[in-house]
Amino acid sequence: MTAPISAVILTYNEENNIKDCIDSVYGFAEEIFIVDSGSTDRTLTILAQYENIKVINHPFENYSQQRNWAISNLPFSTEWILNIDADHRLTPEFKQNVLQHFQIGISQDTNGFLASRKTMFMGKWIKYGGHYPTYHAVLFRKGFGQCEDKLYDQHFKVEGQAIKLKGDIIDLITESLSTFTLRHDKWSNLEAWEQFSQTNYNDRVIKGSLSTGNPIAQRRMLKNIYQKFPLFVRPFIYFFIRYFLRLGFLDGTRGLIFHFLQCFWFRFLIDAKIYELKQRQHEQSAD
């Protein structure tokens, strides 16, 4: 059964991911838009095998601007917009729950839906370490959602009430350890610069709050607290909490690899790059 939603998928050289992603959405979303930023592999060839998929090419600046361009410029024919990445897969439970909401009728006060991602790393579901469930705003009414204007760790902001869905979205976060480390090295540059420059985003980002029922705002508040700790100390604390207190060790050997790289190495790398930026600033001011 088809849901009255428009799916938006960003692509760039996603030949290894796009078919399974499309297959999980095809026949469920009323229309599918692909916003491609110049793929040179077989991504576009694979997409050409499907009927009624609209492929639009748009130059890539950053994820936030690409997503917001899509929201503002694509010719949606539905009231609801679903945003996923090429390495995401909609589960049958997710699709069934969305359809149930549309069949029952969605209140005008509800402008969005949150779904948890089910992270798969080296073929294993990372269930512990506080990594599941982690909710993201993936579906919202047209005109009531936008992506945060951030270089890294962007979330969709929904104006009005957003309710949790029961089904998950599978997130295949890496094809290989080499891909994982290369991506996180790139992302560490963005996160280090944002923390170093202390960019004031005002209303363009989700405000952190532990008192609200919004899990995205709660995670943002915890991140704000984390950033107040000293450089090079906070990665050790974060890893200890995630791996030991939040039971990340129960994820086994592949979980150890994931939690160490994601909770310690990545964040230590961010701190090292912040330190490097501060050293350069000091040297320039001394000249």
Side-chain angles (χ1 to χ4, degrees), residues 76-240:
F76 299 116
S77 62
T78 70
E79 185 183 9
W80 290 85
I81 303 171
L82 171 70
N83 292 272
I84 60 172
D85 295 335
D87 54 4
H88 292 169
R89 313 285 183 262
L90 304 185
T91 62
E93 295 78 12
F94 173 90
K95 292 185 281 190
Q96 181 181 8
N97 196 211
V98 170
L99 288 170
Q100 288 173 345
H101 280 283
F102 279 105
Q103 290 169 353
I104 295 172
I106 301 172
S107 167
Q108 287 299 316
D109 295 333
T110 299
N111 290 327
F113 290 94
L114 309 177
S116 179
R117 291 182 187 172
K118 190 174 183 179
T119 298
M120 302 298 295
F121 178 81
M122 299 180 71
K124 179 181 178 58
W125 173 24
I126 303 301
K127 185 177 180 180
Y128 299 98
H131 210 71
Y132 180 87
T134 54
Y135 286 92
H136 299 262
V138 297
L139 180 62
F140 50 78
R141 288 187 198 270
K142 183 167 55 179
F144 290 90
Q146 65 176 356
C147 185
E148 292 181 291
D149 188 11
K150 291 176 92 280
L151 295 176
Y152 173 71
D153 192 28
Q154 312 93 345
H155 293 272
F156 284 99
K157 291 180 61 180
V158 175
E159 297 178 20
Q161 182 180 359
I163 59 179
K164 294 179 182 178
L165 291 167
K166 295 179 181 178
D168 300 325
I169 293 179
I170 295 174
D171 184 4
L172 306 175
I173 63 170
T174 184
E175 300 170 14
S176 67
L177 288 176
S178 295
T179 302
F180 183 92
T181 52
L182 285 172
R183 287 179 177 176
H184 281 71
D185 178 52
K186 178 181 68 176
W187 294 336
S188 68
N189 291 329
L190 304 178
E191 180 67 15
W193 174 252
E194 286 198 333
Q195 291 190 37
F196 170 76
S197 61
Q198 296 182 335
T199 304
N200 183 10
Y201 292 101
N202 298 318
D203 295 330
R204 295 180 292 169
V205 300
I206 296 171
K207 303 302 180 184
S209 174
L210 295 179
S211 60
T212 179
N214 187 324
I216 302 174
Q218 292 172 348
R219 290 206 312 276
R220 179 58 52 77
M221 185 62 188
L222 293 175
K223 182 176 181 179
N224 293 341
I225 295 173
Y226 169 86
Q227 291 180 2
K228 295 181 183 300
F229 280 81
L231 296 182
F232 304 119
V233 173
R234 55 191 190 175
F236 287 92
I237 298 173
Y238 188 72
F239 176 73
F240 180 80

Side-chain angles (χ1 to χ4, degrees), residues 42-55:
R42 295 182 59 253
T43 298
L44 299 180
T45 302
I46 295 170
L47 289 170
Q49 301 172 5
Y50 294 87
E51 296 181 358
N52 302 322
I53 290 183
K54 304 174 181 68
V55 181

